[in-house]
Amino acid sequence: MAEWTVERVAERFREAAITAHRLPSVRVQGYFNTWPAIRRMPWETLGAEPTIRRFPPSLEAIERMLETMRWVLWLEEEERHLVWMRAERHRWRDICARFGCDRTTAWRRWQRALSIVADRLNGEQGTSRHMVPLSGILH
């Protein structure tokens, strides 16, 4: 496998966000409707919102999304929110308002979070600030 870069990690987070939006909606179990489906006339549905039909993601896409979701455990909570907001294509303006910082600072924090994930995926143990060797914990 090729080495993980910040761009590849960002692309994988974007794919995970798209896959998450394509999953079926969660519904409460146990409730059902016994009423028959009502067929509406075209003039009755003029003001109604069109139904959105999404194709479900493939099993491989879901597996990649679940793998990517495990990556966020390597990040702090604020970094998780930042990475996920950017993966969902929120504007930098909204991200800056959410985190109370400048655009360049938000971009630097986003790059730092992605580099932490990329370093961890590449197996570079000493570069991440979140990595603590097990020998230090066990003694």
Side-chain angles (χ1 to χ4, degrees), residues 1-13 67-68 70-75 79 83 109-131:
M1 178 112 209
E3 189 167 317
W4 287 94
T5 62
V6 171
E7 292 80 20
R8 285 188 61 207
V9 172
E11 181 181 311
R12 181 66 80 88
F13 273 108
E67 178 187 9
T68 307
R70 286 189 288 271
W71 296 352
V72 298
L73 296 176
W74 300 333
L75 302 172
E79 293 170 335
V83 167
R109 290 178 184 171
W110 177 66
Q111 288 285 318
R112 170 81 173 133
L114 294 179
S115 68
I116 289 170
V117 173
D119 290 346
R120 186 82 184 256
L121 289 171
N122 290 329
E124 298 175 15
Q125 298 290 337
T127 59
S128 175
R129 63 181 156 87
H130 299 290
M131 298 290 294

Side-chain angles (χ1 to χ4, degrees), residues 1-49:
M1 178 112 209
E3 189 167 317
W4 287 94
T5 62
V6 171
E7 292 80 20
R8 285 188 61 207
V9 172
E11 181 181 311
R12 181 66 80 88
F13 273 108
R14 176 66 185 142
E15 179 191 6
I18 291 170
T19 303
H21 284 285
R22 289 178 55 199
L23 291 172
S25 60
V26 179
R27 297 200 172 116
V28 178
Q29 297 292 321
Y31 293 100
F32 61 94
N33 188 357
T34 58
W35 284 84
I38 299 173
R39 181 106 174 143
R40 303 273 184 209
M41 299 299 291
W43 57 270
E44 291 178 309
T45 59
L46 283 178
E49 293 285 329

Side-chain angles (χ1 to χ4, degrees), residues 1-2 18 42 48 55 75 80-81 83-84 89 98 101 107 117:
M1 178 112 209
I18 291 170
F55 293 103
L75 302 172
R80 292 175 192 171
H81 289 292
V83 167
W84 195 251
R89 298 283 194 222
R98 160 74 167 79
C101 63
W107 181 82
V117 173

Side-chain angles (χ1 to χ4, degrees), residues 17 53 79 81 92 104 139:
R53 297 180 194 218
E79 293 170 335
H81 289 292
W92 282 110
T104 344
H139 294 303

